[in-house]
Amino acid sequence: MKAIVLIGGFGTRLRPITYSVPKQLIPIAGKPMLYHVLDLLPDDVEEVVLATGYKADAIEAYVRTHPGRWPIRTVPEATPLGTAGGMRNAGAGMSDPFYLLNSDVIAAADLGALAALHARRGGAGTISLFEVDDPSPYGVVSFGDDDRIAGFVEKPPAAEAPSRWINAGLSIWRRDVLDRIPTGREVSFEKEIVPGLLAEGVYGFRLSRYWDDAGTPDRLLHAQQLLFDDGRGGKGGVPPGARGTGPVAAMAGATARGASFGPYVTLGPGAVVEPGAHVERSVLMDDVVVEREATVVGSLLGPKVRVRAGHRVQGQVLGEGVEA
Ligand code: GTP
């Protein structure tokens, strides 16, 4: 089987970081969120096709230097084609069926079991689902018999949501679904294509352990916590010469001698946390410097951000090169 990964969005909710870095390359729990999504794919996947758009060159350069367990190919869009348009654009030579993954969902999901369920039930596709308290920002399903999906509504007002089960962004589809997607314009898979497929049978695959969409700063930091708590953030602890609880995932060349840490921190490549500084529940991207006696809590710091000595940064998202 092959997989299409949708990775062409603008990541507007993570601006200003995403002005310079595509969302999917932001590291959480020690590696770019894209790679946590790819980790879910079974070993026997033949090829991963990334449907790119915004900052396609940065993604292409990164995957070329960081190969996965399977061949990875990128297929860029000249203009945004929407989720379905991106699928169709990247879909030449797809397997039948094929996986379709969003590139920003952090979940515990057995995609081999998803494929087995799809093979057993047939139909046009099988969508993994997760139950949330407030489904209104998501695509929400209503159920027929035996977890067959009877209806699908995008971002309903909370009072009108037919259930609390949402599209978790990890699904599998019959190849001919790609042929139904009009070309030459932006097309939303969820709004324009999936409703028309329900009559042919679209089934739900319920996830139970954890899921989050790492598309906003708060949820990205929550997703990072989920990954660490599930042991997907490396060895835990704190970097050499530092103290505190951690877990901290320190990427290549990051240093933090004499610094202290609370839980759930990623130090991007080359990040420096100076002696006496303290960091917790945060992501520090490439070459960030946190100077002596500074504090960073609950924040997302873009590449080359500098937090000056003694300053405190809390609950902030700072774009590339900012001095705080
Ligand atoms: P926001 O701008 O913050 O809403 O983020 P986003 O652009 O990523 O949008 P959203 O989270 O709704 O997108 C869901 C998935 O589809 C993500 O993995 C996106 O990268 C991807 N995506 C969204 N629009 C397009 C598109 O036009 N083309 C392609 N190839 N992928 C897309």
Side-chain angles (χ1 to χ4, degrees):
M1 271 182 69
K2 299 187 181 185
I4 296 177
V5 180
L6 295 168
I7 187 170
F10 288 96
T12 54
R13 293 165 299 162
L14 285 168
R15 287 175 179 169
I17 304 268
T18 45
Y19 285 128
S20 60
V21 181
K23 168 166 73 173
Q24 295 81 1
L25 295 186
I26 298 174
I28 55 177
K31 59 183 165 184
M33 74 170 80
L34 168 65
Y35 284 72
H36 288 293
V37 176
L38 297 181
D39 280 347
L40 299 176
L41 286 168
D43 285 337
D44 60 1
V45 163
E46 277 170 69
E47 184 185 42
V48 175
V49 182
L50 305 182
T52 57
Y54 182 63
K55 299 211 177 282
D57 291 349
I59 293 165
E60 164 69 22
Y62 195 92
V63 299
R64 214 177 314 116
T65 50
H66 297 80
R69 283 178 285 138
W70 345 254
I72 303 179
R73 185 161 57 91
T74 62
V75 181
E77 294 156 31
T79 57
L81 293 174
T83 45
M87 287 166 67
R88 171 122 202 193
N89 189 55
M94 241 330 104
S95 58
D96 186 19
F98 64 94
Y99 289 111
L100 176 70
L101 312 183
N102 281 1
S103 50
D104 52 3
V105 294
I106 295 303
D110 180 346
L111 297 188
L114 170 71
L117 182 72
H118 179 73
R120 209 165 61 241
R121 290 199 169 150
T126 304
I127 303 180
S128 57
L129 306 170
F130 191 73
E131 191 174 29
V132 296
D133 291 337
D134 174 15
S136 57
Y138 304 107
V140 187
V141 302
S142 57
F143 294 102
D145 291 341
D146 203 18
D147 277 358
R148 183 168 174 159
I149 293 173
F152 193 86
V153 36
E154 264 301 297
K155 302 185 175 64
E160 289 165 31
S163 78
R164 293 195 294 132
W165 287 88
I166 61 156
N167 173 8
L170 307 165
S171 56
I172 190 166
W173 298 95
R174 222 171 46 208
R175 182 176 50 206
D176 66 53
V177 164
L178 293 169
D179 305 332
R180 325 276 178 94
I181 300 170
T183 55
R185 67 174 176 88
E186 196 170 335
V187 187
S188 161
F189 189 56
E190 302 74 17
K191 288 187 194 146
E192 294 184 58
I193 305 298
V194 174
L197 296 171
L198 296 181
E200 296 171 43
V202 175
Y203 293 91
F205 174 75
R206 299 185 192 229
L207 304 180
S208 57
R209 286 178 53 216
Y210 62 85
W211 177 90
D212 210 341
D213 157 9
T216 70
D218 285 351
R219 297 228 305 275
L220 181 144
L221 293 177
H222 179 245
Q224 167 159 270
Q225 178 172 342
L226 294 171
L227 289 166
F228 274 121
D229 287 347
D230 194 25
R232 292 170 64 188
K235 291 195 298 283
V238 297
R243 60 198 169 77
T245 57
V248 177
M251 298 173 72
T255 57
R257 291 200 173 276
S260 73
F261 291 93
Y264 310 126
V265 174
T266 292
L267 300 180
V272 177
V273 185
E274 292 185 352
H278 178 81
V279 181
E280 60 184 66
R281 297 181 191 279
S282 294
V283 170
L284 279 50
M285 293 180 64
D286 314 35
D287 303 315
V288 163
V289 178
V290 181
E291 293 181 355
R292 289 172 176 266
E293 312 297 332
T295 301
V296 178
V297 176
S299 294
L300 183 48
L301 307 186
K304 301 187 178 68
V305 164
R306 176 173 285 269
V307 181
R308 277 169 294 176
H311 284 219
R312 182 181 179 89
V313 168
Q314 180 154 7
Q316 291 197 46
V317 181
L318 301 180
E320 176 157 1
V322 166
E323 290 213 1

